[in-house]
Every structure is written in C-alpha cells, then in structure tokens.
C-alpha cells in the first residue's frame, strides 16, 4: 500500500480485505473467463499465471510471489484473462474489486498506487518480450534468474540464493524454450561458474558475469 496513506485511510484499506484464502499447491485461485470480482494479494507462497489452448497446450505468462497482486487483467473485460495456479501452498488476501474501486475514488493516493502497479505489469510484460526477442537460451535463463532474485531481494530475501518453486518446464514455457533446452542452459551456466544448482536451490556465484551474460551489465 502507498506510504502516504494516513492511519484513518489505512484502516479503511484494512477493512477492505475480506479475509484470507488458502490455496493448496496445484489448485487454481481463478480461471480465465470467470467474473472479475476481486484482486488477490499474495501473503505467502507463489503462483503461475497461464492459459491453455484449445489443444490443451499450457502457456505460462509469469510467476507471482509474496507481495504481488493477482487478477489485474480482470480490469480489461470484467473477466479474469488467465488461470492462477499455486506453485506451493499459498495464502492470499481477498479484496473485492467493487469496494476497491469505491475506496479508490475516496482516496486518490490509492488510485495512483493501483495505476503504478498496473503500469509495472505492462513494463514487466514488455521486458519479457524483449527477453524472448534475440537472446540465446542461456541468456534468457540468466536474465530470468537475475530478475527473480531482484524481486526476492526487494522483499527482504537473499539476492544471491533462491529456491525455485516453479518447474523447469514452467520456466521453459515462460521463456519460450523446450524443457531439454532449459536443462542445457542451466548446465552451461553452471559450467561457466556463474551459478551453482542443487535440485531446486540456485546460488548466484558471479553476479557481474551473469549480468553480462544476460546483456544487463
């Protein structure tokens, strides 16, 4: 929430939250096409947002972690435009959208904050498109790992180590890579001494070189 809210305004925002909801690993929080009734703030756990084609192919759009909002795409058409699936046992705070919109009219700072969040979503999507543009597999993976550790660091976690809650297949779907290609890319980054991998645990061994690999230096 925006820092400029006073105590009375913050109390109104707290009152907006209509309880907490637990979502077990592998379960959906919402599906594409469902009526847009609430935004969800991730309290614990992580999710992937994705869609399935008519042929059953799943396309992963992104990964959301504690502190992120889910359901922002519902503002477009009044329906959720993707599926949100828990990657691990998670808990979310439920914010009814109509009450949120009413409160935003009363508190301009809250409306501006929501606009900033939605703008950040657009920037992140454009960054992903740029990532998929002309990079090789290991460059895409390096950028993905750096972006994820930066997001974790903002939330007070280590910027050098992380535990991947998503599968390599999900990573490949998000980055436009086959599963075998993702595995080879991990291997190349390990061989180059940029990262160390132990199952789902990843440690950044050379952040400077990894940024150079991801063309972010």
């Amino acid at each position: 929430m925006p820092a400029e809210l006073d105590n009375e305004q913050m109390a109104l925002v707290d009152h907006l939250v209509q309880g907490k909801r637990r979502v077990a690993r592998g379960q959906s929080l919402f599906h594409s096409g469902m009526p847009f009734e609430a935004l969800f703030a991730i309290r614990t756990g992580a999710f992937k947002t994705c869609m399935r084609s008519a042929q059953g192919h799943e396309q992963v759009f992104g990964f959301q972690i504690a502190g992120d909002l889910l359901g922002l795409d519902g503002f477009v058409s009044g329906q959720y435009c993707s599926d949100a699936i828990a990657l691990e046992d998670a808990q979310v705070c439920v914010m009814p959208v109509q009450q949120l919109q009413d409160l935003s009219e009363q508190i301009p700072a809250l409306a501006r904050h929501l606009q900033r969040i939605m703008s950040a979503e657009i920037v992140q999507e454009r960054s992903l498109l740029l990532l998929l543009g002309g990079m090789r597999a290991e460059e895409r993976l390096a950028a993905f790992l750096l972006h994820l550790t930066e997001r974790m660091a903002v939330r007070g976690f280590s910027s050098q180590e992380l535990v991947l809650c998503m599968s390599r297949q999900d990573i490949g779907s998000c980055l436009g890579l086959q599963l075998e290609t993702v595995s080879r890319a991990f291997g190349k980054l390990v061989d180059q001494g940029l990262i160390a991998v132990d199952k789902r645990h990843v440690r950044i061994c050379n952040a400077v070189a990894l940024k150079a690999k991801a063309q972010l230096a």
Side-chain angles (χ1 to χ4, degrees):
M1 289 296 101
E4 60 263 36
L5 295 188
D6 59 32
N7 291 337
E8 182 179 352
Q9 292 171 331
M10 187 60 74
L12 290 173
V13 174
D14 286 341
H15 182 70
L16 170 70
V17 178
Q18 299 294 307
K20 301 177 180 66
R21 183 180 302 176
R22 295 187 181 276
V23 187
R25 178 184 177 185
Q27 297 299 306
S28 298
L29 178 61
F30 54 77
H31 287 290
S32 175
M34 288 178 58
F36 176 46
E37 297 178 343
L39 288 180
F40 303 93
I42 303 175
R43 195 162 185 256
T44 60
F47 288 79
K48 66 178 178 181
T49 47
C50 58
M51 286 188 69
R52 285 193 177 275
S53 67
Q55 294 74 31
H57 172 72
E58 182 182 86
Q59 174 63 56
V60 177
F61 298 129
F63 304 102
Q64 292 74 35
I65 58 178
D68 288 338
L69 281 179
L70 287 165
L72 288 168
D73 56 4
F75 281 110
V76 176
S77 62
Q79 296 179 332
Y80 297 109
C81 299
S82 60
D83 301 343
I85 301 175
L87 295 170
E88 55 190 5
D89 290 346
Q91 187 181 62
V92 298
C93 297
V94 183
M95 296 178 289
V97 65
Q98 186 58 59
Q99 296 181 35
L100 180 62
Q101 290 175 324
D102 293 343
L103 190 59
S104 296
E105 293 178 2
Q106 300 176 38
I107 308 176
L110 179 59
R112 291 193 299 269
H113 187 62
L114 286 173
Q115 290 171 355
R116 285 195 295 268
I117 292 174
M118 287 186 281
S119 296
E121 287 276 315
I122 295 172
V123 170
Q124 184 171 328
E125 288 178 0
R126 289 181 177 177
S127 298
L128 179 59
L129 290 175
L130 181 63
L131 185 68
L132 298 178
M135 288 185 174
R136 295 175 298 179
E138 61 266 31
E139 294 169 349
R140 298 183 191 188
L141 181 59
F144 170 78
L145 293 174
L146 286 168
H147 179 60
L148 188 57
T149 53
E150 287 170 1
R151 291 169 64 195
M152 297 296 290
V154 169
R155 291 154 175 78
F157 297 98
S158 172
S159 62
Q160 302 296 317
E161 299 187 28
L162 59 97
V163 178
L164 297 175
C165 55
M166 66 288 295
S167 68
R168 294 191 178 188
Q169 184 171 347
D170 284 340
I171 293 173
S173 177
C174 186
L175 299 182
L177 301 171
Q178 296 294 323
L179 174 59
E180 297 80 6
T181 306
V182 173
S183 296
R184 286 196 298 269
F186 267 106
K188 288 181 179 179
L189 295 181
V190 170
D191 292 342
Q192 294 164 14
L194 305 184
I195 64 173
V197 178
D198 181 11
K199 298 181 180 178
R200 289 180 178 256
H201 184 272
V202 177
R203 177 167 56 87
I204 308 298
C205 299
N206 190 333
V208 174
L210 193 63
K211 286 183 179 180
K213 171 67 69 174
Q215 303 177 21
L216 298 177

